[in-house]
């Protein structure tokens, strides 16, 4: 559990001249967890120091396909400080857990250590020792022999084949193939994205401790209740016997939402030894301990008339998945809604390769989908000789082309206009290679992006305490996006107290329930829950003030009161003016407590459990009369060295529609973070596989290149959103994943404008340009 006093230090001032405005919803209050992080006071999950703590280190497979023949543990077991060596034969048997949809699992055992090898880096053994150094040394002594079989390393492997059709991904209307064949202008191209990795600053790890049949796990988590369910099912214990604690999360980007095999190893070791066990992955192990973004291959064909009006889109996509798991990267998600077309066809396959199961990485599906369609429409613009911005406006979708529903709000026209004006798009010279500065070719590119409004239900407790402060509790988490801050602002504004007087408690599964922090849903879900709880607490407070005979307001015979800045008064100003603390003291109450629960009124206990521990009850973004999405338009300038082919992004202006912003400072930070990740995707990031052994060879932060400050120019972000009450209680839409969508194609389009060379394979590297 982490407790923050809201508004200490820098965060008290915000950015507004009026501190009250800065601390209300919509104000630019600085992140309240900032001081704890920069002073070292923030205590992360694996920093727990427990009595009797021991250390586990994983042993990984060195082949990509085959079977473990034998594991020689003798030398490791004899090494100093070693307590136990776990192998598939010695680890305790677990039960198979349900997936994140809650699908009933097969009735068979689960072993987190593998006998059958399906990818290089798979966990095959673990060593537990008194110290971390002893465990590392002993793990190097474990000898594993294999019977190796041929592997399929990636999508380009000749043994991969065409893959498995995923019928659920098929979207079709009209007759796309016939319309394409008869179109006067036709574009057809393939677009590829490589494996990418989340690379959070904080690696994955945990501390597990058993007390009888109760398990406590300190682990960085994007979904405490979902992970607690998995641990409970693995060990066959009641859900209430598992406690997940995640006080801070040092980055996740989708990778920390599920309980994974390393967690099962650590918790099993703790149970077997009767001592708390700490296991933290090395940086190389994080490249295979969980899945990053799957490599994808798309073919996009567009048929249009000579004015650039689209008549047909045919889309075919493929993504890689693992041999023993399934991951679908929804490649038609943006393709099917961004532009109006009377004829459309999108189909997708998955191809099994010898890799870890891929997983969610910031904007899964939408990100690579946008690279395909936004590159293809740029190619169409040049083919018909129309400005790339104008062609997007000519094909603007006035409603959801797939769902055939009105948009809840769509400020994309406004985003194009605001971004183009601020960027100076009207000064663009249309011909490729026509803009330069000395030996640097200048290119300007544009692309659009979108992300659906993923909705769910949440709950929170709000307490008004005897000293007049307000306390908020929820099992939701803060991984840097600002949950502590916006929930404090919501409670402060609703109850009528300064944000300085609000304490937010997050990151403990014993608190009121919250679903997964992913899909850009948390802010909308949890501000709604806190608003409801705070409103209920305020009603109780006013009710006490009016109705309790001991209250100084009792004789006033008012039917309402005003609560502001922590004080209570008559709206007419004709009665007492007392602090909340004074009122509670006068009526003999030490606190007021209310729970805010956004679940439907007729929800059962089973519904609630399913909602918080699975994603089965997530509300579709097209539910009801509207299609709900956030939108963005990116304008990018690149400079390409004509001699060396090096590409640098020199300017970015992005206009974004995320509805009402609960805290513009935090939203802008999230948008800029997404743009920076998009720059990395476009120019730097690529998982490189040794084709002989199926190993990731750049599995470290020296060789897997992510952007540094030197790679990033000034980024300007503009909010064009309006409140969208169809999407959330307070009118906000998704922020965190929106801005990465469309950045890579905007850069690729700018590179084409600079050089005349179309790069359809990410990342854009100098050898592809020379």
């Amino acid at each position: 559990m982490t407790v923050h006093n809201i508004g200490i230090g820098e965060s008290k001032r915000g950015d507004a001249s009026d501190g009250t405005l800065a601390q209300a919803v919509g104000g630019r209050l600085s992140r309240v967890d900032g001081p704890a992080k920069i002073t070292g006071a923030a205590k992360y999950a694996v920093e727990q120091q427990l009595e009797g703590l021991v250390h586990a280190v994983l042993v990984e497979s060195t082949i990509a396909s085959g079977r473990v023949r034998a594991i020689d543990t003798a030398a490791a077991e004899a090494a100093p400080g070693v307590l136990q060596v776990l192998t598939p034969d010695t680890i305790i048997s677990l039960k198979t857990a349900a997936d994140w949809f809650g699908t009933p699992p097969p009735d068979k055992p689960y072993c987190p250590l593998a006998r059958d090898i399906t990818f290089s880096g798979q966990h095959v053994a673990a060593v537990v020792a008194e110290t971390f150094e002893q465990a590392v040394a002993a793990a190097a002594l474990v000898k594993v022999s294999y019977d190796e079989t041929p592997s399929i390393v990636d999508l380009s492997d000749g043994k991969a084949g065409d893959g498995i059709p995923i019928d659920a991904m098929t979207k079709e209307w009209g007759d796309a193939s016939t319309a394409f064949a008869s179109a006067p202008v036709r574009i057809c191209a393939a677009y590829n994205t490589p494996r990418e990795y989340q690379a959070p600053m904080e690696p994955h790890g945990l501390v597990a401790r058993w007390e009888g049949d109760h398990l406590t796990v300190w682990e960085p988590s994007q979904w405490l209740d979902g992970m607690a369910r998995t641990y409970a099912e693995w060990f066959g214990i009641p859900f209430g016997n598992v406690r997940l604690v995640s006080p801070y999360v040092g980055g996740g980007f989708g990778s920390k939402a599920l309980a994974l095999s390393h967690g099962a190893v650590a918790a099993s070791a703790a149970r077997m030894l009767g001592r708390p066990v700490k296991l933290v992955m090395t940086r190389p192990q994080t490249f295979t301990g969980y899945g990053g973004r799957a490599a994808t291959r798309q073919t996009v064909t567009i048929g249009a008339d000579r004015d650039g009006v689209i008549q047909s889109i045919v889309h075919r996509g493929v993504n890689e998945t693992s041999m023993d798991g399934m991951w679908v990267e929804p490649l038609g998600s943006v393709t099917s809604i961004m532009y109006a077309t009377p004829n459309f066809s999108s189909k997708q396959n998955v191809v099994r390769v010898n890799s870890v199961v891929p997983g969610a990485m910031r904007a899964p599906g939408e990100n690579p989908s946008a690279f395909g369609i936004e590159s293809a429409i740029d190619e169409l613009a040049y083919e018909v000789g129309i400005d790339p911005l104008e062609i997007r406006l000519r094909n603007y979708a006035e409603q959801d082309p797939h769902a055939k529903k009105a948009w809840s709000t769509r400020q994309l026209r406004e985003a194009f206009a605001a971004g183009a004006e601020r960027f100076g798009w009207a000064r663009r010279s249309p011909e490729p290679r026509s803009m330069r500065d000395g030996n640097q070719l200048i290119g300007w590119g544009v692309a659009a992006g979108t992300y659906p409004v993923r909705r769910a239900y949440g709950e929170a407790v709000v307490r008004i305490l005897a000293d007049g402060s307000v306390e908020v509790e929820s099992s939701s988490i803060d991984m840097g996006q600002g949950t502590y801050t916006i929930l404090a602002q919501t409670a402060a504004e609703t109850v009528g107290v300064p944000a300085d007087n609000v304490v937010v408690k997050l990151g403990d599964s014993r608190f009121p329930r919250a679903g997964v922090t992913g899909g850009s849903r948390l802010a909308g879900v949890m501000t709604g829950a806190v608003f409801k709880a705070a409103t209920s607490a305020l009603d109780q407070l006013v009710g006490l003030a009016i109705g309790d005979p001991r209250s100084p307001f009792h004789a006033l015979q008012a039917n309402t009161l005003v609560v502001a800045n922590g004080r209570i008064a008559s709206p007419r100003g004709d009665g007492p003016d007392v602090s909340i603390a004074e009122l509670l003291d006068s009526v003999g109450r030490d606190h007021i407590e209310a729970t805010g629960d956004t679940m439907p009124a007729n929800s059962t206990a089973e519904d609630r459990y399913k909602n918080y521990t699975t994603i089965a009850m997530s509300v579709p973004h097209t539910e009801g009369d509207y299609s709900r999405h956030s939108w963005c338009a990116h304008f990018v300038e690149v400079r390409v060295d004509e001699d060396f082919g090096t590409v640098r992004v020199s300017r970015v202006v992005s206009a974004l529609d995320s509805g009402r912003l609960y805290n513009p400072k935090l939203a802008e930070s999230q948008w800029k973070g997404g743009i920076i990740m998009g720059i990395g995707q476009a120019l730097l990031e690529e998982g490189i596989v040794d084709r002989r052994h199926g190993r990731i060879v750049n599995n470290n932060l020296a060789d897997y290149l992510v952007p540094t400050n030197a790679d990033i120019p000034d980024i300007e972000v503009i909010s064009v959103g309006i409140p969208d009450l169809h999407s959330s209680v307070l009118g906000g839409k998704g922020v965190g994943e929106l801005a990465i969508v469309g950045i890579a194609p905007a850069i690729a389009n700018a590179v084409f404008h600079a050089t005349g060379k179309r790069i359809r394979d990410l990342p854009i590297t100098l050898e592809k340009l020379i």
Side-chain angles (χ1 to χ4, degrees):
M1 178 184 74
T2 297
V3 179
H4 286 297
N5 281 309
I6 305 305
I8 60 174
E10 176 75 9
S11 60
K12 282 187 179 178
R13 296 192 295 272
D15 278 352
S17 57
D18 184 331
T20 301
L21 291 177
Q23 295 184 29
V25 175
R28 300 179 67 87
L29 185 65
S30 295
R31 250 173 50 185
V32 299
D33 49 330
K37 289 178 176 176
I38 64 173
T39 61
K43 192 173 185 180
Y44 287 78
V46 298
E47 294 182 305
Q48 301 302 313
Q49 297 299 318
L50 305 178
E51 184 177 352
L53 183 70
V54 297
H55 299 263
V57 168
L58 295 165
V59 178
E60 298 179 291
S61 70
T62 56
I63 66 168
S65 179
R67 185 172 176 80
V68 174
R69 183 190 312 123
I71 302 178
D72 182 354
T73 63
E77 289 170 334
V82 171
L83 301 170
Q84 192 147 25
V85 179
L86 303 180
T87 70
D89 294 322
T90 61
I91 195 170
I92 59 176
S93 180
L94 305 180
K95 297 181 179 180
T96 300
D99 63 17
W100 53 351
F101 289 94
T103 307
D107 185 17
K108 64 178 185 180
Y110 165 65
C111 183
L113 300 174
R115 292 185 179 88
D116 294 312
I117 305 302
T118 58
F119 61 93
S120 182
Q122 199 164 1
H123 306 148
V124 295
V127 174
V128 186
E130 293 285 356
T131 70
F132 173 69
E133 292 79 9
Q134 289 170 333
V136 170
L141 301 176
V142 176
K143 304 301 180 186
V144 185
S145 56
Y146 304 93
D147 293 319
E148 189 171 4
T149 56
S151 63
I152 300 174
V153 295
D154 58 24
L155 289 175
S156 66
D157 193 311
K159 302 186 292 298
D162 295 329
I164 306 163
I166 305 298
D167 293 338
M169 293 292 103
T170 297
K171 301 176 182 179
E172 293 187 305
W173 60 86
D175 186 346
S177 297
T178 300
F180 175 75
S182 60
V185 179
R186 288 174 284 183
I187 297 293
C188 181
Y191 306 93
N192 303 316
T193 64
R195 291 182 195 173
E196 301 165 43
Y197 296 93
Q198 294 93 342
M201 185 177 294
E202 175 197 34
H204 287 54
L206 70 155
V207 175
R209 180 181 68 189
W210 287 89
E211 296 170 294
D213 62 351
H214 286 71
L215 171 64
T216 301
V217 178
W218 291 266
E219 183 170 11
S221 171
Q222 295 177 230
W223 189 10
L224 276 73
D225 296 309
M227 291 174 66
R229 173 188 59 78
T230 300
Y231 279 104
E233 291 177 358
W234 278 340
F235 290 96
I237 59 177
F239 172 70
N241 286 16
V242 180
R243 181 186 180 193
L244 255 289
V245 185
S246 184
Y248 297 93
V249 183
F253 315 113
S255 71
K256 292 175 178 172
L258 303 176
L260 301 170
S261 58
H262 67 277
V265 170
S268 295
R271 191 163 206 181
M272 294 169 70
L273 290 168
R275 294 176 65 176
V277 171
K278 179 176 181 177
L279 188 158
V280 179
M281 287 190 183
T282 65
R283 182 59 64 180
Q285 287 172 343
T286 65
F287 283 73
T288 52
Y290 52 89
R293 196 189 308 277
T296 73
R297 183 174 64 228
Q298 301 176 71
T299 301
V300 181
T301 64
I302 300 179
D305 64 21
R306 299 197 184 280
D307 292 325
V309 177
I310 297 172
Q311 305 299 313
S312 171
I313 298 175
V314 179
H315 173 263
R316 297 294 180 262
V318 173
N319 73 263
E320 63 182 1
T321 191
S322 69
M323 289 293 178
D324 51 4
M326 178 59 71
W327 176 261
V328 179
E329 190 85 7
L331 296 173
S333 55
V334 174
T335 322
S336 62
I337 66 166
M338 187 59 78
Y339 300 106
T341 178
N343 302 283
F344 183 86
S345 173
S346 178
K347 296 183 178 181
Q348 184 169 341
N349 288 9
V350 297
V351 172
R352 294 197 181 278
V353 302
N354 288 99
S355 78
V356 65
V357 183
M361 182 172 170
R362 205 169 195 168
E366 285 77 19
N367 178 301
S369 179
F371 179 63
I373 186 62
E374 288 299 302
S375 296
I377 198 168
D378 201 71
E379 298 202 39
L380 175 64
Y382 282 96
E383 182 68 22
V384 296
I386 297 174
D387 183 283
L389 177 55
E390 172 61 24
I391 203 165
R392 287 168 167 82
L393 294 171
R394 288 190 188 186
N395 291 285
Y396 193 87
E398 300 293 347
Q399 67 167 7
D400 185 326
H402 179 228
K404 306 295 190 289
K405 294 182 178 182
W407 306 115
S408 56
T409 57
R410 193 191 204 214
Q411 297 288 101
L412 185 56
R413 284 189 190 277
E414 291 78 1
F416 281 134
E421 180 181 3
R422 198 70 60 88
F423 187 82
W425 185 261
R427 301 194 303 272
R428 170 183 171 273
S429 173
E431 292 299 318
R433 300 183 69 89
S434 61
M435 298 170 65
R436 66 166 59 236
D437 179 9
N439 71 330
Q440 292 184 330
L441 300 170
I442 309 298
W444 287 6
V446 63
T450 182
Y451 195 79
V453 177
R454 304 191 187 278
R455 297 173 297 151
Y457 309 107
E459 66 182 23
V461 162
V462 170
R463 297 185 189 93
I464 303 174
L465 303 179
D467 62 359
S469 66
V470 174
E471 191 173 79
V472 178
E473 283 185 354
S474 170
S475 69
S476 58
I477 61 92
D478 193 326
M479 55 182 176
Q481 80 278 41
T483 314
Y484 286 114
T485 310
I486 61 171
L487 296 191
Q489 290 175 278
T490 303
E493 180 182 89
T494 307
V495 175
V497 300
D500 303 50
N501 292 354
V502 179
V503 173
V504 180
K505 300 179 180 180
L506 302 175
D508 192 323
S509 65
R510 291 185 175 177
F511 292 157
R513 303 293 178 196
V516 63
T517 300
S520 299
R521 78 188 77 195
L522 180 79
V525 170
M526 292 313 304
T527 53
V530 170
F531 174 76
K532 188 172 182 179
T535 299
S536 178
L538 177 63
D539 289 344
Q540 291 183 51
L541 179 69
V542 172
L544 275 175
I546 293 172
D548 194 299
R550 297 167 292 180
S551 165
F553 296 96
H554 184 63
L556 196 62
Q557 296 185 334
N559 58 11
T560 188
L561 297 171
V562 173
V563 184
N565 294 316
R567 301 189 67 81
I568 308 170
S570 165
R572 299 186 299 272
D574 57 353
D577 183 330
V578 302
S579 70
I580 292 174
E582 290 169 334
L583 174 68
L584 291 177
D585 181 63
S586 70
V587 299
R589 292 285 294 270
D590 61 0
H591 77 282
I592 291 171
E593 179 173 313
T595 299
D597 182 345
T598 60
M599 289 285 291
N602 60 349
S603 299
T604 65
E606 182 181 351
D607 291 335
R608 294 171 188 276
Y609 178 75
K610 183 185 295 185
N611 175 69
Y612 299 124
T613 65
T614 77
I615 62 168
M617 293 186 66
S618 295
V619 184
H621 59 277
T622 54
E623 178 264 344
D625 297 330
Y626 298 96
S627 180
R628 302 161 181 84
H629 297 260
S630 299
W631 305 95
C632 61
H634 301 293
F635 295 83
V636 172
E637 177 184 274
V638 299
R639 291 173 173 259
V640 182
D641 188 292
E642 191 172 21
D643 299 321
F644 297 106
T646 53
V647 180
R648 295 190 68 84
V649 175
S650 50
R651 195 157 56 99
V652 178
V653 175
S654 297
L656 307 102
D657 167 20
S658 288
R660 180 192 185 192
L661 302 183
Y662 305 132
N663 183 315
K665 173 182 275 194
L666 303 184
E668 291 161 8
S669 176
Q670 286 291 291
W671 286 337
K672 290 178 180 180
I675 291 165
I676 290 166
M677 287 186 75
I679 292 172
Q681 177 188 33
L683 301 181
L684 301 169
E685 298 184 46
E686 179 181 17
I688 300 172
V689 183
D690 181 338
R691 306 193 67 81
R692 300 166 300 170
H693 306 294
R695 298 174 190 165
I696 305 298
V697 297
N698 58 336
N699 57 355
N700 56 78
L701 294 186
D703 299 315
Y704 183 80
L705 303 179
V706 296
T708 66
N709 285 349
D711 300 303
I712 303 303
D714 286 338
I715 297 172
E716 183 175 3
V717 291
I718 306 164
S719 174
V720 297
I722 58 176
D724 184 350
L725 298 179
H726 301 298
S727 291
S728 67
V729 172
L730 300 185
K733 301 193 289 187
V735 170
E737 288 165 281
L738 173 64
I740 194 175
V741 182
I743 275 290
I747 293 171
N749 296 340
V751 168
F752 175 78
H753 181 235
T755 66
K757 294 185 179 181
R758 182 70 65 175
I759 307 300
R760 303 183 180 95
D761 250 331
L762 295 182
I764 302 168
T765 53
L766 61 88
E767 64 269 18
K768 297 174 184 177
L769 283 170
I770 294 176

